[in-house]
Amino acid sequence: MEIVDIQYNIKNETITKLFYQADFLTFYKSIVEKRHVVVITDENIYNCHEDKLQFVENLMVVDAGEACKDMDVFQYAIHTLLDFEADRNTLIIGVGGGALTDFVGFLSSIFMRGVDFGFFPTTLLGAVDASIGGKNGVNFGVYKNLLGTINQPKFIVNDPSFLQTLDISEFKNGMAEVIKYGCILDRELFGYLENIDLEVIVNDLECLNYIITKCQAIKINIIEKDVFEKGDRKLLNFGHTIGHAIEMSNHFPHGFSVAIGMNYAAQISEKLGFLASEKRERIQNIIEKYDLPINQPKSCDELWQMIKGDKKKNGDKINLILLNDIGSAFVHPIDLEDFKSILQSIIN
Ligand code: GLY
């Protein structure tokens, strides 16, 4: 496969040299001729794709999943970069899902005050969301993403062969964020998703590519205008305030938690009179169509303990992202007490 520069037209500007479609080895070989490269991946990816990764000269393999964001892995990574004689001109390539790209983005941002980095997302969630936007971070003890920066990758490369080894539940996990883009900004994407199903997405590469590039264009369009989340970037948090609380208290995967959070946020939008009930039903139906959950078992009080600690809370108010139509979201500041009572009416 050759290296194809994916061009996204963003409000009259064309984003180039950021998104590519390429096979990992072709891309790696084209870069390693020109500069010192370190590739970081995790154990699971390495086991599934040893055929390609074994050719990398400076390869670091870390623990899979959230474990790679622990401080001891971080220290190990710095030692390994020094062993590889990394310097300020080194390029670090992260090959993995959302946790790995969070970790590599942060490591690259602070090593020698920052070196260039780029990603090969290996999950649907990573390709449509986690690899884009520049937020990165690692955990500190129990504190998730306590240490982090916002720093953009130099490139993001779609190599479909990584997604081909994914488990079906990983596709579902990513579909929650895809559905989110349809709900908040793109009615056409929402309608498209209503007319296909998970089996088509998993088996039809053209359809998968369409979804990935569509979502990447939507997200980068927002990031280009609002890197530091002062405006429209907030809309990307649809389903996430409640979703994060669900994720932390139930230990559900991110996408599954966001799916429930979106269902609750759509119900709140309806209860507050912003969203017509048949549109709220369409949102619930599409979440269920992609075999994602719409409810969780914890009591409202248990979730509330987590929501109270949300870092986006502002005094006694919190910004909820609500819908007034499919494809149309807005920021709704709400008193915490009002939020709690409306959540109680949904959950209990
Ligand atoms: N890295 C994900 C984001 O910035 O939204």
Side-chain angles (χ1 to χ4, degrees):
M1 192 201 294
E2 56 181 334
I3 300 172
V4 179
D5 187 350
I6 306 173
Q7 306 209 346
Y8 291 124
N9 283 311
I10 310 300
K11 301 276 170 217
N12 305 325
E13 278 178 50
T14 303
I15 302 283
T16 56
K17 308 285 173 244
L18 179 57
F19 291 95
Y20 297 89
Q21 178 101 23
D23 159 71
F24 171 77
L25 268 185
T26 311
F27 194 88
Y28 170 75
K29 282 179 188 159
S30 77
I31 288 189
V32 81
E33 284 168 8
K34 295 177 223 145
R35 64 193 290 186
H36 184 253
V37 177
V38 172
V39 176
I40 306 182
T41 193
D42 72 36
E43 283 165 349
N44 289 349
I45 304 293
Y46 185 76
N47 291 337
C48 291
H49 299 279
E50 190 178 348
D51 54 331
K52 307 171 193 217
L53 292 163
Q54 62 174 318
F55 297 106
V56 173
E57 193 185 332
N58 298 315
L59 179 70
M60 190 189 312
V61 182
V62 296
D63 295 344
E66 202 62 16
C68 75
K69 291 166 71 175
D70 284 353
M71 273 294 133
D72 51 346
V73 178
F74 195 72
Q75 285 209 23
Y76 159 80
I78 293 169
H79 284 299
T80 312
L81 286 178
L82 293 172
D83 290 346
F84 287 155
E85 299 182 355
D87 61 26
R88 277 200 225 150
N89 296 314
T90 296
L91 168 73
I92 303 184
I93 303 180
V95 181
L100 191 283
T101 54
D102 272 1
F103 160 74
V104 170
F106 183 62
L107 177 69
S108 311
S109 299
I110 65 162
F111 183 72
M112 295 195 179
R113 298 208 186 91
V115 297
D116 289 349
F117 63 101
F119 299 137
F120 275 75
T122 58
T123 60
L124 181 58
L125 185 77
V128 299
D129 183 30
S131 66
I132 313 163
K135 287 185 190 170
N136 58 49
V138 292
N139 303 330
F140 188 78
V142 293
Y143 301 102
K144 246 188 108 157
N145 296 330
L146 186 75
L147 309 174
T149 71
I150 297 185
N151 188 19
Q152 304 301 328
K154 288 281 178 283
F155 55 80
I156 295 165
V157 190
N158 299 327
D159 175 347
S161 72
F162 284 119
L163 272 64
Q164 273 153 9
T165 54
L166 281 185
D167 190 80
I168 189 79
S169 72
E170 266 304 331
F171 274 98
K172 292 181 197 169
N173 201 31
M175 280 312 294
E177 295 288 351
V178 175
I179 292 168
K180 178 192 80 179
Y181 291 123
C183 289
I184 61 172
L185 284 159
D186 200 314
R187 196 184 327 172
E188 187 191 295
L189 174 63
F190 193 95
Y192 177 81
L193 297 174
E194 284 182 314
N195 288 317
I196 55 166
D197 59 27
L198 201 57
E199 213 183 306
V200 175
I201 295 172
V202 173
N203 296 310
D204 181 342
L205 195 56
E206 208 175 307
C207 169
L208 182 62
N209 281 342
Y210 168 78
I211 285 175
I212 290 175
T213 51
K214 181 96 182 154
C215 294
Q216 289 180 336
I218 294 173
K219 183 156 181 184
I220 202 67
N221 192 14
I222 291 200
I223 303 300
E224 282 292 300
K225 287 185 288 191
D226 180 25
V227 171
F228 295 104
E229 205 168 301
K230 304 274 181 245
D232 277 359
R233 186 167 183 171
K234 291 192 172 89
L235 303 180
L236 297 174
N237 294 326
F238 176 61
H240 281 62
T241 299
I242 307 174
H244 282 153
I246 293 168
E247 190 173 346
M248 283 190 287
S249 51
N250 291 282
H251 304 289
F252 288 171
H254 179 76
F256 286 60
S257 310
V258 166
I260 302 165
M262 290 193 294
N263 185 43
Y264 290 169
Q267 287 185 46
I268 295 173
S269 306
E270 182 189 0
K271 274 184 185 281
L272 293 179
F274 298 118
L275 186 68
S277 70
E278 83 272 10
K279 295 195 174 158
R280 204 270 310 148
E281 272 167 34
R282 278 175 70 195
I283 291 169
Q284 178 176 327
N285 291 344
I286 203 165
I287 294 170
E288 291 183 298
K289 179 184 173 96
Y290 286 93
D291 208 13
L292 286 159
I294 52 165
N295 275 311
Q296 54 80 55
K298 289 280 177 332
S299 69
C300 185
D301 283 345
E302 281 170 290
L303 282 192
W304 194 251
Q305 293 312 313
M306 299 292 176
I307 290 173
K308 269 195 331 198
D310 192 297
K311 55 180 184 291
K312 295 196 172 61
K313 182 167 66 76
N314 181 7
D316 53 4
K317 278 197 183 304
I318 196 159
N319 283 332
L320 282 187
I321 309 305
L322 301 182
L323 302 178
N324 48 25
D325 200 348
I326 287 172
S328 176
F330 63 99
V331 180
H332 181 72
I334 187 168
D335 284 338
L336 283 172
E337 281 312 307
D338 294 342
F339 180 27
K340 188 174 178 186
S341 0
I342 198 158
L343 203 56
Q344 258 159 352
S345 71
I346 289 170
I347 294 177
N348 292 330

